[in-house]
Amino acid sequence: MTAAVALQDREVAVDEEGYLVNLSDWNEDVAKTMAADDSIALTDNHWEVINFLREYYAEYQVAPAIRVLTKAIGKKLGPEKGNSKYLYELFPYGPAKQACRYAGLPKPTGCI
Amino acid sequence: MSDTQANEGGDRKVKRFMFVNRKAPYGTIYALEALEVVLIGAAFDQDVSLVFADDGVYQLKKGQQTKGIGQKNFSPTYRALEDYDIEKLYVERESLQARGLSPDDLLVPVRVLGSAELSVLMDEQDVLLSF
Amino acid sequence: MAVLHTTNKSPLQTRDLESCLRLTRPGSGILLMEDAVYGALRSTEASARLAQAAKDRRIYVLGPDLAARGFTPEEVIDEVEVVDYGGFVDLVAEHHHVQAWV
């Protein structure tokens, strides 16, 4: 059973938890639409995390667990961003899970 | 894993977990399954080490290109283990030699140990997981 | 036309390739695929055995399976020919039967 996210010009298939079925379907509109469906307007701060996740996945072929994401963000963007309070404010449904979904990645490995 | 919580309410002792990887990647699912268990298990903050022996050493071979066989190349994920605080990677020297490989052929830094040393390490573990 | 034998297990870990070699006749074709491709590499403990077997048998190795495992055709012993999926199909068509040593 697959669902879909409706973009202006097409639909993209997602699984029962809302993650893209085909990672290659992703573009910025997909992220914006998924966020809008959660009543969130993506800001530069959101994009910083989404882009970070996409780069992480391209490099390591894995969507990082929350603890790994927090630490890695801290290393790259500084301690004021590498903490769970900051990340949970941006992504209230759970930074790794929600941001990975917007970034078009699979559900993070190591999220329990 | 109920035995990791033997002292309920008391201090949970950090246990030593060793994952023993003996299979080549792609031909069977063992290597990928082991890697996923390791990543998920990292959340439990235990003392984790990975051993690569026999054909398991091939999991770490540099330059894997899986487009032609239509499977996901999961070898880059071994380089993310450090981010998951998994830093004890051991490779058996005899297995490398039997395959004409050296540590330079591997995509992550590892400690190369002889079988005698590895067997001592195995004895010291609380939990051994075989893949 | 002879039989094409295929084998998909690493000869460094199992005896399947050895069984295959023992039960193939001179003139047979043998295709190493999946984890059996490790058997075609230079400088492993299995290299000499395969080079010996290649004296009176035609031995092939599947290129995409080699690449997936991080090896190039240059790392394959001279006696073994690298084929792609098209070559695999040709081999199957050229032989009367296929025996898979799974």
Side-chain angles (χ1 to χ4, degrees), chain A residues 13 20-26 104:
Chain A
L20 281 189
V21 173
N22 300 308
L23 308 192
S24 57
D25 279 341
W26 190 88

Side-chain angles (χ1 to χ4, degrees), chain A residues 56-57 59-65 67-68 71 109-110, chain B residues 39-40 42-43 45 72-73 76-77 79-80 83-85:
Chain A
Y56 195 93
Y57 191 84
E59 173 83 16
Y60 299 116
Q61 295 298 302
V62 67
R67 190 178 62 150
V68 175
K71 199 169 73 175
T109 307
Chain B
L39 293 177
I40 292 165
D45 280 326
K72 176 172 166 170
N73 175 8
T77 306
R79 291 190 287 105
D83 290 343
Y84 284 74
D85 296 321

Side-chain angles (χ1 to χ4, degrees), chain B residues 24-89:
Chain B
Y26 310 117
T28 64
I29 196 75
Y30 290 94
L32 177 58
E33 291 284 309
L35 185 56
E36 295 203 332
V37 173
V38 166
L39 293 177
I40 292 165
F44 292 100
D45 280 326
Q46 302 293 309
D47 179 347
V48 174
S49 56
L50 271 61
V51 170
F52 298 88
D54 296 327
D55 277 357
V57 303
Y58 284 135
Q59 294 176 25
L60 302 181
K61 175 71 174 62
K62 277 180 188 164
Q64 299 175 33
Q65 303 286 342
T66 60
K67 243 193 191 113
I69 62 166
Q71 290 191 50
K72 176 172 166 170
N73 175 8
F74 54 86
S75 67
T77 306
Y78 293 104
R79 291 190 287 105
L81 288 173
E82 199 186 352
D83 290 343
Y84 284 74
D85 296 321
I86 293 163
E87 287 163 342
K88 294 176 186 166
L89 307 185

